[in-house]
Amino acid sequence: MVTDEALSAVFKGHSIDRDNVAHFRGRLERRLLINRCIDCGVWRHPPRPICSSCWSSRLEPTPVAGTGTIHLAIFLHQGPPAEGVDYATPYPVVTVELDEQPGLRFTSSVVGAPNETIAIGRRVRLDWIERAGTPLPVFRLAEGAGQ
Amino acid sequence: MISARNPMKDKVAIAAAATTGFTAQNTERSQLSLGAEACIKAIRACGLTASDTDGICGSAVPAAAMQSALGIPEVTWFANPSIPFGNQIAAAAAAVHAGLAEVVLAYHTPYRLPWNTSGALKDPFRRGGMTMPGAGAVPETVAGVAGYTAWAARYLHEYDARREHFGYVAINDRSNAARNPAAAMRAPLDMDDYLAARMIRWPLSMLDMDVAVDGADAFIITTPERARDMALPPVLIQAVVLGMIDRNEEDQTPGLHRHGQHVVVEALKARSDFWTDGMDLFFPYDGFSFITLAWIESVGLCGPGEAGGFIEANWDQAAKRILIDGHIPVNPHGGSLSEGGSQGSGHVREAVHQLQGLAGERQVEGARTALLTPGGFFFNAQGLTLRRA
Ligand SMILES: [Zn+2]
C-alpha cells in the first residue's frame, strides 16, 4: 500500500488531490478508472467532486474498457524529461475518445507503432507500460481498423 | 445563458495607452521596472500625476507592489485578474462604471520566464518566475501549451486546410511588425522561412508560437467625462466579454464547432452596435497562429475551415499581409507572433493608438471602430469592441 504521503513522489509531474486520488491509485493496479455518476450514469474526466450533469456527489471511479478512437494527435519534438522518452523521434501524444461515452476522452501516448501510422481516426486499445517503476496507461493501435 | 444586457456600453473610456516596447532578449530589468515605466508613460500621456489615480489593475506584478513603486497616495480599488488582458480591461471598466474607482491604471508585464522560454534559465533572477499550472510536467498531456497544437492537428484533419494557412498568420504579423518600432521581431518572413522553421510540436513550429518578450503596456481607464478633459481623444469601451463553456479542459472541449469563442461572439455581437461589416480594425488573438484562423471563422468572416481561403482572397501580395476588403489590417502592430507575446495587451494598446490617431506609419486613416478577440478557446476566450468617442 502506497501512503498518501508517497503518492506525489510516485506520480511525479501530476498534482494529486482528494478528487483524483482514486484515479491514480487505480493506475498502481493497472486499472484505468474514470469517474461515473451512480445516479445518472454519466462519465466525466478529469475527476471532479460532483457530477456536473446532476450534481450528485455519488461518483464511482469505474474501470473503462480502454478501447476508443484517436481524436487529437500531436508529435513532440521537444518536451519535459521523462524516462523512456527520447524526442529524437518525435513523441506521439494522443487524446482518445473512449467508447464508453461520446466526448469522454483520455490523453496519453501510443506505443509500438511507427509515427506515420498514428493518426486521428485510428482505433486503439489500452495497454500499460512502466515509467520509473510506476504503471503508465498508454495506447496501442488496434489491428487493421481505420476511421 | 447569454444576455444582451449591456448597461456599461460606451460609459467607460480608455484615455491613454503606453508601452516600453518589446524585446525577445532577457533585459537586465525586473517586471516591476518595466511595468512602472509603462505606467508612468500612460499617466503622463493623460496629463495626470500619481495622485490622480484611485484604482490599479494589473497582471503578474501585484497591484500593491505597483502602487508602492509609483507612490500612488491612495487607491479605493485594486485587482490582479489572470491573463489574457481582456480580464484586466473587463475588471477595470466594471470598477469605473460601478464607481469603485474613477481613474484606473491597468498594466501588463510580459516577461521571459522558464515556462515560456528556456533562455530565461540563464538569468538567476528569472528562475523562480511564474509557472503554468498543470502543464508540461509530463509529456502525455495536451493541457497548457500543447492544447492549441492538438486542436490545430484536428483542424488539419477535419478541413481542407494546410500548414501554409497557419503560415499566412505568421507572415502577416511579421510584415506588420516591420512598421512597428516597439516590435521584437521585424526581419522579413516568407513562406519558405515559415515551412523551414524548427518544429516544436507537430503540426506547429517555432513560428506558430508567440515570441517570449520583456516589456510592458499600461492604460488609463476612466469615465468618458474625465477622459474628455485629458490630453488624448477618448476611446470608448462598447462591450467586453469573457467567454467560457462547461467542458473547458483542453482534451475534453467538445470540438472546433463549440468552445469559448462561440460564447464570446454571440454575446459580444448582441452587446455591440457594430460587427465585422462595421469594423475598421481587427485584432484576432494569435498567441498560436491557429487561434487566428479560428477567430476569423468564429466571428463569421467565413465558414468553418475556410480561414485559409479567406486570407488568400484578402491578401495584399505587395505588402505580404492581410487587408480585409482591401482596407482592414489584421493585428497591424505585428501581434503576439512578431511584436511579442503580450497576452492581448499589445492588441488593446495598438487598437487604442489607432483609434486615437497615434499609430504612426501604421495608422489606418480615419479608423473609428475596432473588434478585438483576445485569447484562445478554453478558459481564455475574450472579446472587446472599442470605438472612438
Ligand atoms: Zn449524475
Side-chain angles (χ1 to χ4, degrees):
Chain A
M1 178 73 180
V2 177
T3 62
D4 286 349
E5 200 73 51
L7 273 178
S8 294
V10 170
F11 291 104
K12 226 187 272 310
H14 292 280
S15 143
I16 316 281
D17 60 28
R18 296 273 172 210
D19 297 332
N20 66 21
V21 64
H23 171 82
F24 284 98
R25 286 202 172 280
R27 289 190 184 197
L28 293 174
E29 302 167 359
R30 301 193 169 214
R31 297 201 304 159
L32 184 61
L33 303 181
I34 303 284
N35 270 4
R36 188 173 196 196
C37 176
I38 290 170
D39 289 306
C40 76
V42 167
W43 300 79
R44 187 78 185 251
H45 189 73
R48 300 289 185 220
I50 54 164
C51 170
S52 56
S53 297
C54 77
W55 291 358
S56 167
S57 47
R58 302 203 309 146
L59 301 171
E60 179 83 44
T62 306
V64 290
T67 53
T69 305
I70 297 177
H71 194 79
L72 306 171
I74 62 177
F75 298 88
L76 308 186
H77 290 239
Q78 62 182 58
E83 189 191 274
V85 179
D86 171 12
Y87 299 101
T89 303
Y91 184 67
V93 174
V94 296
T95 294
V96 170
E97 185 138 325
L98 301 172
D99 289 342
E100 275 75 9
Q101 180 181 290
L104 177 70
R105 306 190 193 119
F106 186 80
T107 299
S108 187
S109 189
V110 173
V111 298
N115 279 352
E116 54 276 17
T117 64
I118 300 167
I120 293 170
R122 290 295 305 263
R123 293 283 299 164
V124 294
R125 62 180 171 79
L126 178 67
D127 198 1
W128 293 85
I129 60 171
E130 290 212 344
R131 173 174 297 157
T134 302
L136 178 71
V138 294
F139 294 96
R140 289 185 184 277
L141 295 183
E143 292 308 313
Q147 300 303 315
Chain B
M1 195 200 120
I2 291 174
S3 166
R5 188 174 163 271
N6 187 15
M8 194 170 80
K9 185 160 88 178
D10 298 338
K11 299 263 175 63
V12 179
I14 302 177
T19 187
T20 58
F22 294 154
T23 172
Q25 281 156 12
N26 298 347
T27 59
E28 293 185 351
R29 295 177 64 181
S30 67
Q31 274 180 293
L32 180 56
S33 163
L34 293 159
E37 178 189 329
C39 287
I40 291 168
K41 278 186 180 168
I43 292 169
R44 286 189 171 148
C46 293
L48 300 177
T49 63
S51 59
D52 296 310
T53 306
D54 64 354
I56 304 187
C57 179
S59 57
V61 173
M66 187 61 79
Q67 177 183 5
S68 173
L70 294 174
I72 296 173
E74 60 255 323
V75 297
T76 59
W77 176 82
F78 59 93
N80 284 100
S82 58
I83 50 173
F85 199 70
N87 271 332
Q88 276 74 14
I89 297 290
V96 167
H97 186 242
L100 304 179
E102 194 172 357
V103 178
V104 173
L105 174 64
Y107 60 87
H108 178 46
T109 53
Y111 202 55
R112 293 165 57 81
L113 289 167
W115 74 269
N116 61 24
T117 173
S118 57
L121 292 169
K122 292 178 195 130
D123 178 349
F125 300 121
R126 292 170 194 259
R127 284 173 202 153
M130 69 174 183
T131 56
M132 206 177 224
V138 296
E140 296 86 6
T141 179
V142 296
V145 290
Y148 294 102
T149 312
W151 286 100
R154 183 80 198 175
Y155 184 83
L156 295 179
H157 171 81
E158 283 191 25
Y159 301 113
D160 180 27
R162 305 186 309 277
R163 285 198 62 239
E164 283 84 345
H165 297 171
F166 305 148
Y168 294 141
V169 177
I171 294 166
N172 172 72
D173 273 359
R174 187 61 64 86
S175 301
N176 283 333
R179 301 198 247 177
N180 177 7
M185 309 294 278
R186 302 178 70 188
L189 186 71
D190 63 26
M191 191 59 83
D192 290 339
D193 301 325
Y194 171 79
L195 292 172
R198 182 160 65 88
M199 192 61 72
I200 304 295
R201 304 172 192 92
W202 184 93
L204 300 186
S205 74
M206 280 291 284
L207 294 175
D208 292 297
M209 300 161 59
D210 62 2
V211 50
V213 292
D214 279 10
D217 288 317
F219 303 80
I220 298 296
I221 298 172
T222 185
T223 63
E225 295 71 32
R226 287 292 301 272
R228 264 189 285 277
D229 293 336
M230 296 176 189
L232 302 169
V235 171
L236 301 180
I237 297 174
Q238 179 138 99
V240 53
V241 176
L242 314 176
M244 190 152 63
I245 63 164
D246 60 345
R247 274 182 291 163
N248 49 46
E249 299 90 356
E250 290 89 337
D251 62 350
Q252 306 295 320
T253 214
L256 295 166
H257 63 287
R258 179 69 185 160
H259 47 68
Q261 291 188 358
H262 303 96
V263 178
V264 168
V265 167
E266 187 180 338
L268 192 65
K269 216 172 178 175
R271 297 175 192 177
S272 302
D273 290 339
F274 69 92
W275 198 241
T276 51
D277 52 354
M279 69 183 179
D280 297 322
L281 299 152
F282 184 34
F283 293 88
Y285 193 61
D286 51 358
F288 289 91
S289 58
F290 160 63
I291 295 173
T292 299
L293 302 185
W295 275 120
I296 286 172
E297 295 167 13
S298 294
V299 301
L301 286 167
C302 62
E306 295 173 357
F310 175 84
I311 292 175
E312 284 165 0
N314 290 276
W315 189 254
D316 177 343
Q317 190 56 47
K320 290 202 296 183
R321 67 174 189 155
I322 306 166
L323 272 185
I324 299 171
D325 296 335
H327 64 100
I328 304 167
V330 173
N331 293 328
H333 59 310
S336 313
L337 297 176
S338 282
E339 188 197 63
S342 62
Q343 294 78 43
S345 68
H347 301 70
V348 179
R349 182 237 311 140
E350 174 75 359
V352 170
H353 284 166
Q354 288 278 354
L355 296 173
Q356 292 182 321
L358 300 176
E361 63 170 312
R362 306 183 305 285
Q363 184 63 46
V364 173
E365 218 45 59
R368 301 199 61 82
T369 58
L371 171 61
L372 296 89
T373 54
F377 288 14
F378 308 114
F379 24 77
N380 51 11
Q382 310 178 338
L384 179 64
T385 44
L386 299 177
R387 71 175 184 86
R388 184 171 174 149

PDB file of all heavy atoms in Angstrom, chain B residues 358-376:
ATOM      1  N   LEU B 358      -2.725  57.780 -33.287  1.00  0.00           N
ATOM      2  CA  LEU B 358      -1.335  57.858 -32.819  1.00  0.00           C
ATOM      3  C   LEU B 358      -0.476  56.703 -33.329  1.00  0.00           C
ATOM      4  O   LEU B 358       0.579  56.430 -32.767  1.00  0.00           O
ATOM      5  CB  LEU B 358      -1.299  57.832 -31.282  1.00  0.00           C
ATOM      6  CG  LEU B 358      -2.038  58.937 -30.540  1.00  0.00           C
ATOM      7  CD1 LEU B 358      -1.989  58.699 -29.031  1.00  0.00           C
ATOM      8  CD2 LEU B 358      -1.447  60.300 -30.886  1.00  0.00           C
ATOM      9  N   ALA B 359      -0.914  56.011 -34.395  1.00  0.00           N
ATOM     10  CA  ALA B 359      -0.235  54.770 -34.785  1.00  0.00           C
ATOM     11  C   ALA B 359       0.875  54.984 -35.816  1.00  0.00           C
ATOM     12  O   ALA B 359       1.368  54.019 -36.414  1.00  0.00           O
ATOM     13  CB  ALA B 359      -1.254  53.744 -35.284  1.00  0.00           C
ATOM     14  N   GLY B 360       1.270  56.221 -36.019  1.00  0.00           N
ATOM     15  CA  GLY B 360       2.428  56.485 -36.882  1.00  0.00           C
ATOM     16  C   GLY B 360       2.247  55.962 -38.290  1.00  0.00           C
ATOM     17  O   GLY B 360       1.177  56.120 -38.881  1.00  0.00           O
ATOM     18  N   GLU B 361       3.267  55.314 -38.819  1.00  0.00           N
ATOM     19  CA  GLU B 361       3.167  54.851 -40.210  1.00  0.00           C
ATOM     20  C   GLU B 361       2.209  53.675 -40.370  1.00  0.00           C
ATOM     21  O   GLU B 361       1.897  53.264 -41.478  1.00  0.00           O
ATOM     22  CB  GLU B 361       4.553  54.511 -40.776  1.00  0.00           C
ATOM     23  CG  GLU B 361       5.263  53.384 -40.077  1.00  0.00           C
ATOM     24  CD  GLU B 361       6.522  52.932 -40.829  1.00  0.00           C
ATOM     25  OE1 GLU B 361       6.455  52.723 -42.053  1.00  0.00           O
ATOM     26  OE2 GLU B 361       7.559  52.782 -40.166  1.00  0.00           O
ATOM     27  N   ARG B 362       1.732  53.131 -39.265  1.00  0.00           N
ATOM     28  CA  ARG B 362       0.740  52.042 -39.334  1.00  0.00           C
ATOM     29  C   ARG B 362      -0.690  52.589 -39.342  1.00  0.00           C
ATOM     30  O   ARG B 362      -1.645  51.827 -39.434  1.00  0.00           O
ATOM     31  CB  ARG B 362       0.878  51.107 -38.130  1.00  0.00           C
ATOM     32  CG  ARG B 362       2.238  50.545 -37.923  1.00  0.00           C
ATOM     33  CD  ARG B 362       2.295  49.569 -36.751  1.00  0.00           C
ATOM     34  NE  ARG B 362       1.811  50.128 -35.496  1.00  0.00           N
ATOM     35  CZ  ARG B 362       2.490  50.986 -34.753  1.00  0.00           C
ATOM     36  NH1 ARG B 362       3.664  51.428 -35.157  1.00  0.00           N
ATOM     37  NH2 ARG B 362       1.994  51.427 -33.605  1.00  0.00           N
ATOM     38  N   GLN B 363      -0.842  53.890 -39.185  1.00  0.00           N
ATOM     39  CA  GLN B 363      -2.164  54.473 -38.969  1.00  0.00           C
ATOM     40  C   GLN B 363      -3.146  54.129 -40.090  1.00  0.00           C
ATOM     41  O   GLN B 363      -2.861  54.329 -41.270  1.00  0.00           O
ATOM     42  CB  GLN B 363      -2.059  55.999 -38.851  1.00  0.00           C
ATOM     43  CG  GLN B 363      -3.377  56.685 -38.522  1.00  0.00           C
ATOM     44  CD  GLN B 363      -3.928  56.255 -37.150  1.00  0.00           C
ATOM     45  OE1 GLN B 363      -3.207  56.209 -36.175  1.00  0.00           O
ATOM     46  NE2 GLN B 363      -5.218  55.923 -37.110  1.00  0.00           N
ATOM     47  N   VAL B 364      -4.296  53.590 -39.699  1.00  0.00           N
ATOM     48  CA  VAL B 364      -5.401  53.385 -40.627  1.00  0.00           C
ATOM     49  C   VAL B 364      -6.204  54.684 -40.626  1.00  0.00           C
ATOM     50  O   VAL B 364      -6.763  55.084 -39.598  1.00  0.00           O
ATOM     51  CB  VAL B 364      -6.289  52.208 -40.181  1.00  0.00           C
ATOM     52  CG1 VAL B 364      -7.532  52.095 -41.042  1.00  0.00           C
ATOM     53  CG2 VAL B 364      -5.484  50.905 -40.206  1.00  0.00           C
ATOM     54  N   GLU B 365      -6.226  55.318 -41.777  1.00  0.00           N
ATOM     55  CA  GLU B 365      -6.831  56.648 -41.886  1.00  0.00           C
ATOM     56  C   GLU B 365      -8.281  56.644 -41.417  1.00  0.00           C
ATOM     57  O   GLU B 365      -9.092  55.844 -41.865  1.00  0.00           O
ATOM     58  CB  GLU B 365      -6.744  57.105 -43.349  1.00  0.00           C
ATOM     59  CG  GLU B 365      -6.437  58.582 -43.519  1.00  0.00           C
ATOM     60  CD  GLU B 365      -5.309  59.090 -42.609  1.00  0.00           C
ATOM     61  OE1 GLU B 365      -4.177  58.574 -42.681  1.00  0.00           O
ATOM     62  OE2 GLU B 365      -5.597  60.012 -41.818  1.00  0.00           O
ATOM     63  N   GLY B 366      -8.590  57.521 -40.476  1.00  0.00           N
ATOM     64  CA  GLY B 366      -9.979  57.695 -40.036  1.00  0.00           C
ATOM     65  C   GLY B 366     -10.572  56.510 -39.286  1.00  0.00           C
ATOM     66  O   GLY B 366     -11.798  56.379 -39.217  1.00  0.00           O
ATOM     67  N   ALA B 367      -9.724  55.665 -38.695  1.00  0.00           N
ATOM     68  CA  ALA B 367     -10.249  54.475 -38.002  1.00  0.00           C
ATOM     69  C   ALA B 367     -11.136  54.888 -36.832  1.00  0.00           C
ATOM     70  O   ALA B 367     -10.746  55.701 -35.994  1.00  0.00           O
ATOM     71  CB  ALA B 367      -9.088  53.616 -37.512  1.00  0.00           C
ATOM     72  N   ARG B 368     -12.331  54.323 -36.764  1.00  0.00           N
ATOM     73  CA  ARG B 368     -13.266  54.681 -35.696  1.00  0.00           C
ATOM     74  C   ARG B 368     -13.685  53.491 -34.836  1.00  0.00           C
ATOM     75  O   ARG B 368     -14.166  53.673 -33.716  1.00  0.00           O
ATOM     76  CB  ARG B 368     -14.535  55.329 -36.289  1.00  0.00           C
ATOM     77  CG  ARG B 368     -14.265  56.595 -37.096  1.00  0.00           C
ATOM     78  CD  ARG B 368     -15.519  57.434 -37.264  1.00  0.00           C
ATOM     79  NE  ARG B 368     -16.048  57.883 -35.970  1.00  0.00           N
ATOM     80  CZ  ARG B 368     -15.598  58.943 -35.306  1.00  0.00           C
ATOM     81  NH1 ARG B 368     -14.601  59.665 -35.796  1.00  0.00           N
ATOM     82  NH2 ARG B 368     -16.112  59.280 -34.144  1.00  0.00           N
ATOM     83  N   THR B 369     -13.561  52.283 -35.374  1.00  0.00           N
ATOM     84  CA  THR B 369     -14.032  51.111 -34.620  1.00  0.00           C
ATOM     85  C   THR B 369     -13.011  49.986 -34.676  1.00  0.00           C
ATOM     86  O   THR B 369     -12.315  49.805 -35.672  1.00  0.00           O
ATOM     87  CB  THR B 369     -15.352  50.564 -35.206  1.00  0.00           C
ATOM     88  OG1 THR B 369     -15.125  50.223 -36.584  1.00  0.00           O
ATOM     89  CG2 THR B 369     -16.493  51.553 -35.108  1.00  0.00           C
ATOM     90  N   ALA B 370     -12.947  49.228 -33.584  1.00  0.00           N
ATOM     91  CA  ALA B 370     -12.042  48.075 -33.547  1.00  0.00           C
ATOM     92  C   ALA B 370     -12.735  46.894 -32.884  1.00  0.00           C
ATOM     93  O   ALA B 370     -13.391  47.048 -31.853  1.00  0.00           O
ATOM     94  CB  ALA B 370     -10.762  48.425 -32.784  1.00  0.00           C
ATOM     95  N   LEU B 371     -12.572  45.725 -33.502  1.00  0.00           N
ATOM     96  CA  LEU B 371     -13.046  44.466 -32.925  1.00  0.00           C
ATOM     97  C   LEU B 371     -11.822  43.691 -32.461  1.00  0.00           C
ATOM     98  O   LEU B 371     -10.918  43.416 -33.264  1.00  0.00           O
ATOM     99  CB  LEU B 371     -13.826  43.674 -33.980  1.00  0.00           C
ATOM    100  CG  LEU B 371     -14.221  42.239 -33.628  1.00  0.00           C
ATOM    101  CD1 LEU B 371     -15.125  42.180 -32.409  1.00  0.00           C
ATOM    102  CD2 LEU B 371     -14.906  41.567 -34.826  1.00  0.00           C
ATOM    103  N   LEU B 372     -11.793  43.378 -31.179  1.00  0.00           N
ATOM    104  CA  LEU B 372     -10.667  42.633 -30.614  1.00  0.00           C
ATOM    105  C   LEU B 372     -11.166  41.322 -30.024  1.00  0.00           C
ATOM    106  O   LEU B 372     -12.210  41.294 -29.357  1.00  0.00           O
ATOM    107  CB  LEU B 372      -9.989  43.424 -29.498  1.00  0.00           C
ATOM    108  CG  LEU B 372      -9.317  44.748 -29.872  1.00  0.00           C
ATOM    109  CD1 LEU B 372     -10.302  45.898 -29.782  1.00  0.00           C
ATOM    110  CD2 LEU B 372      -8.128  45.024 -28.948  1.00  0.00           C
ATOM    111  N   THR B 373     -10.418  40.264 -30.254  1.00  0.00           N
ATOM    112  CA  THR B 373     -10.780  38.971 -29.675  1.00  0.00           C
ATOM    113  C   THR B 373      -9.543  38.349 -29.026  1.00  0.00           C
ATOM    114  O   THR B 373      -8.929  37.438 -29.574  1.00  0.00           O
ATOM    115  CB  THR B 373     -11.378  38.032 -30.747  1.00  0.00           C
ATOM    116  OG1 THR B 373     -10.461  37.933 -31.849  1.00  0.00           O
ATOM    117  CG2 THR B 373     -12.707  38.540 -31.246  1.00  0.00           C
ATOM    118  N   PRO B 374      -9.181  38.848 -27.836  1.00  0.00           N
ATOM    119  CA  PRO B 374      -8.010  38.288 -27.157  1.00  0.00           C
ATOM    120  C   PRO B 374      -8.272  36.858 -26.667  1.00  0.00           C
ATOM    121  O   PRO B 374      -9.399  36.505 -26.333  1.00  0.00           O
ATOM    122  CB  PRO B 374      -7.816  39.215 -25.951  1.00  0.00           C
ATOM    123  CG  PRO B 374      -8.718  40.386 -26.164  1.00  0.00           C
ATOM    124  CD  PRO B 374      -9.815  39.916 -27.065  1.00  0.00           C
ATOM    125  N   GLY B 375      -7.211  36.062 -26.618  1.00  0.00           N
ATOM    126  CA  GLY B 375      -7.311  34.733 -26.014  1.00  0.00           C
ATOM    127  C   GLY B 375      -7.721  33.650 -26.984  1.00  0.00           C
ATOM    128  O   GLY B 375      -7.943  33.890 -28.172  1.00  0.00           O
ATOM    129  N   GLY B 376      -7.821  32.439 -26.459  1.00  0.00           N
ATOM    130  CA  GLY B 376      -7.994  31.256 -27.310  1.00  0.00           C
ATOM    131  C   GLY B 376      -9.352  30.609 -27.215  1.00  0.00           C
ATOM    132  O   GLY B 376     -10.367  31.218 -27.557  1.00  0.00           O
TER     133      GLY B 376
END
